[in-house]
Amino acid sequence: MKYFPIFLDTQDLTCLVVGAGEVAARKIELLLKTSAKITVVAPWVCDTVKRYATEGRVHLIERIFESDDLNDKQMVFVATDDSQINKGIHDEARALKILVNVVDNTPLCQFITPSIVDRSPIIIAMSSGGVAPVLLRYMRQKLESLIPQKISLLGQFSEKFRELVKQKLKTVTERRYFWEDVLDGDIAENVMQGNNQIAEQKFLEKLNSDDASQTQGEVYLVGAGPGDPDLLTFRALRLMQKADVVVYDRLVSPEVLELVRRDAEKIYVGKAKSKHSVPQDEINELLAKQALAGNRVVRLKGGDPFIFGRGGEELETLIEHGVSFQVVPGITAANGAASYAGIPLTHRDHAKSVVFATGHLRDNSINLNWQGLAQPDQTIVFYMGLTGLPIICEQLVKHGMPANTPIAMVQSATTEQHKVVTGTFETIQEIAIKANIQPPALIIVGSVVSLHEKLNWFTP
Ligand code: SAH
């Protein structure tokens, strides 16, 4: 982050604008929305700025800039049409440690003014650091259309009752839950419709009711998808933004974790290098304990929680403890890998069914119904099959599948490390070693794999 975003209290801010043409006028117009004390110095003044001066909104000095103009100023905008003069004023200001912005000259800006979506008291400020102004304008348009103007009313409503809520509800968590309820429901609707009287009445009823401060923990079992954060569901994202505590494991990508509420406590229960992961029963108990303490717990799992995710076991423990929960499906690795590798899992000419199986080795053997798997017209997807690859190939051939059956390995599907290799039962092991395929990786078996060559579209 080259630029650090902050919001300045402009109550006592003294600001100098050098130049009073149209460019300067635009900055002044922006500053006039604040309480900053604005001085403008320029020998020539455009009509707009003249008007601001006659209205007494800026202090205008009609002459060429002098060094003394910087006295007692905290911030200066330089917008004369002489780049030499601009540079000179910039250097003086920097020497005096005054924040300086030479308009439309990013290298000479110690700070830059962001693109603003104004729903005061809610203000969204955005910047591309001057490198992608069109993209920024595009994003701003999106936000302008996405965020109702009436959010302002909601902001003002929150401001009005903030103190009262603080007096009534003692802990931060209680207050957050209370406000989240208010903002999620019909009170907020009423505020935005302008029905203030109804809104206030309902609000006070809720605040004074017994359950205003009741904090009941809950667990959200959330599928985080195979890695690409774009593949999260809206619901997953919404709950992640609400979480007090997030319990996650190794398969949850850092990009996805970024989207969790910033203040949430993040607990890692996956395998660290050379260490074992937290045993499943401890995870089950941890979830229950956190929820019983009144927290909203997001249990974030790679892919889908109900596909090789042990989500069911976690829920059983929660039920034993009387903790309520929700389950949010995620895109499982097989779907992510197949889509991004251009391998349809079923196809009229290739496969009429698809099976998800585990290739996890226990005592060097995989106890699977090989006969059931080795069917014609069927695609098999093996999770956790990297180390078991030789056994998988051997067993499927032994149970009647042709040795030249196409097989693919997809590493870290949908992420930057996404890699696909294909071969046959006979060749794949060597190919995988050569390509240095690393976990997490998925194995896809069946003639659909032959479509990869034609349908492959994703390059990380
Ligand atoms: N619940 C998860 C699966 C957990 S089991 C899901 O629905 O996807 C862990 C196995 O999933 C890994 O060993 C690997 O085989 C597979 N896997 C998970 N993420 C993957 C990814 N991005 N690319 C390839 N395989 C992945």
Side-chain angles (χ1 to χ4, degrees):
M1 217 168 28
K2 181 171 174 200
Y3 294 96
F4 181 59
I6 55 171
F7 287 92
L8 275 179
D9 183 349
T10 56
Q11 201 59 50
D12 298 309
L13 188 75
T14 49
C15 188
L16 177 72
V17 180
V18 186
E22 290 305 329
V23 177
R26 281 203 296 278
K27 288 292 173 205
I28 296 169
E29 191 187 349
L30 203 62
L31 286 168
L32 282 173
K33 295 187 178 188
T34 73
S35 333
K37 288 183 191 57
I38 309 164
T39 305
V40 182
V41 56
W44 180 87
V45 182
C46 77
D47 289 344
T48 318
V49 179
K50 265 187 194 144
R51 183 162 48 81
Y52 292 149
T54 12
E55 289 167 359
R57 301 170 75 191
V58 302
H59 172 54
L60 178 63
I61 306 171
E62 292 193 57
R63 58 157 167 73
I64 283 178
F65 166 85
E66 292 169 7
S67 300
D68 282 354
D69 293 332
L70 288 172
N71 288 349
D72 306 323
K73 301 296 185 303
Q74 294 164 302
M75 180 185 267
V76 52
F77 287 94
V78 189
T80 82
D81 49 16
D82 184 323
S83 57
Q84 214 56 35
I85 292 181
N86 287 351
K87 171 83 170 74
I89 300 172
H90 163 270
D91 293 348
E92 278 188 55
R94 286 301 294 256
L96 292 167
K97 310 272 187 247
I98 298 169
L99 285 174
V100 56
N101 175 299
V102 177
V103 180
D104 294 334
N105 189 342
T106 318
L108 294 187
C109 287
Q110 194 185 6
F111 71 96
I112 49 182
T113 46
S115 172
I116 294 170
V117 179
D118 186 1
R119 301 284 187 275
S120 288
I122 305 295
I123 300 166
I124 302 173
M126 289 182 295
S127 158
S128 71
V131 300
V134 179
L135 177 60
L136 195 64
R137 206 176 317 139
Y138 170 78
M139 285 173 53
R140 183 169 154 218
Q141 270 168 13
K142 284 234 151 181
L143 286 177
E144 286 282 5
S145 60
L146 216 64
I147 302 172
Q149 289 287 345
K150 290 174 175 161
I151 285 291
S152 266
L153 298 176
L154 217 46
Q156 288 156 18
F157 186 86
S158 305
E159 184 180 8
K160 180 169 175 185
F161 289 107
R162 195 174 140 83
E163 270 314 309
L164 189 65
V165 173
K166 245 185 177 164
Q167 283 164 22
K168 172 95 182 154
L169 304 177
K170 293 302 171 208
T171 72
V172 179
T173 312
E174 280 171 358
R175 294 198 288 271
R176 186 159 62 78
Y177 284 14
F178 175 80
W179 278 115
E180 279 176 358
D181 258 11
V182 167
L183 297 176
D184 240 1
D186 66 329
I187 297 178
E189 274 313 309
N190 274 299
V191 174
M192 290 205 279
Q193 296 313 319
N195 304 331
N196 257 22
Q197 218 176 340
I198 302 176
E200 290 192 11
Q201 187 190 336
K202 288 190 173 203
F203 183 87
L204 293 174
E205 269 170 26
K206 182 175 170 60
L207 185 62
N208 292 320
S209 74
D210 289 343
D211 64 357
S213 65
Q214 220 169 52
T215 56
Q216 198 147 46
E218 206 180 359
V219 174
Y220 313 124
L221 184 57
V222 175
D228 182 348
D230 263 9
L231 296 177
L232 280 175
T233 61
F234 285 123
R235 189 180 183 76
L237 187 60
R238 198 161 59 74
L239 294 175
M240 283 158 67
Q241 292 282 331
K242 262 184 154 182
D244 300 306
V245 178
V246 176
V247 179
Y248 69 102
D249 40 43
R250 191 175 42 94
L251 283 175
V252 176
S253 72
E255 291 83 1
V256 168
L257 211 56
E258 256 307 290
L259 299 172
V260 164
R261 192 172 73 89
R262 217 157 272 290
D263 296 335
E265 182 189 351
K266 300 187 187 74
I267 305 177
Y268 178 70
V269 291
K271 253 177 225 159
K273 271 209 178 93
S274 80
K275 271 203 195 147
H276 289 294
S277 45
V278 179
Q280 187 63 46
D281 51 352
E282 274 180 37
I283 298 176
N284 301 350
E285 291 301 329
L286 172 73
L287 296 176
K289 194 181 99 192
Q290 288 287 353
L292 288 170
N295 290 316
R296 288 172 177 161
V297 185
V298 166
R299 170 65 172 124
L300 206 51
K301 283 176 175 289
D304 180 272
F306 279 1
I307 294 184
F308 303 122
R310 305 190 73 170
E313 295 162 50
E314 293 174 4
L315 298 187
E316 282 172 38
T317 310
L318 296 177
I319 290 173
E320 280 165 25
H321 287 276
V323 172
S324 56
F325 59 82
Q326 300 181 28
V327 184
V328 183
I331 291 185
T332 188
N335 287 139
S339 300
Y340 279 52
I343 302 176
L345 293 177
T346 65
H347 188 289
R348 279 153 63 108
D349 302 332
H350 295 272
K352 297 192 176 56
S353 61
V354 52
V355 196
F356 295 168
T358 167
H360 187 57
L361 290 171
R362 199 175 279 166
D363 315 325
N364 272 344
S365 63
I366 313 172
N367 303 316
L368 286 172
N369 173 7
W370 294 108
Q371 200 58 60
L373 291 178
Q375 296 297 316
D377 300 340
Q378 176 164 279
T379 306
I380 320 166
V381 182
F382 288 97
Y383 287 69
M384 300 169 278
L386 197 51
T387 41
L389 182 65
I391 298 179
I392 289 170
C393 294
E394 184 195 307
Q395 289 292 336
L396 289 175
V397 172
K398 201 166 139 192
H399 288 82
M401 289 187 86
N404 65 354
T405 303
I407 174 168
M409 300 196 70
V410 188
Q411 164 195 294
S412 302
T414 79
T415 73
E416 282 299 310
Q417 287 74 42
H418 174 96
K419 200 193 280 182
V420 187
V421 292
T422 59
T424 66
F425 288 142
E426 284 168 322
T427 61
I428 192 69
Q429 291 169 56
E430 206 183 314
I431 292 172
I433 291 169
K434 263 205 191 119
N436 190 26
I437 295 292
Q438 296 293 324
L442 209 70
I443 300 169
I444 305 178
V445 176
S447 78
V448 286
V449 169
S450 62
L451 296 165
H452 164 71
E453 208 178 327
K454 201 161 144 197
L455 304 184
N456 186 29
W457 61 272
F458 176 66
T459 28

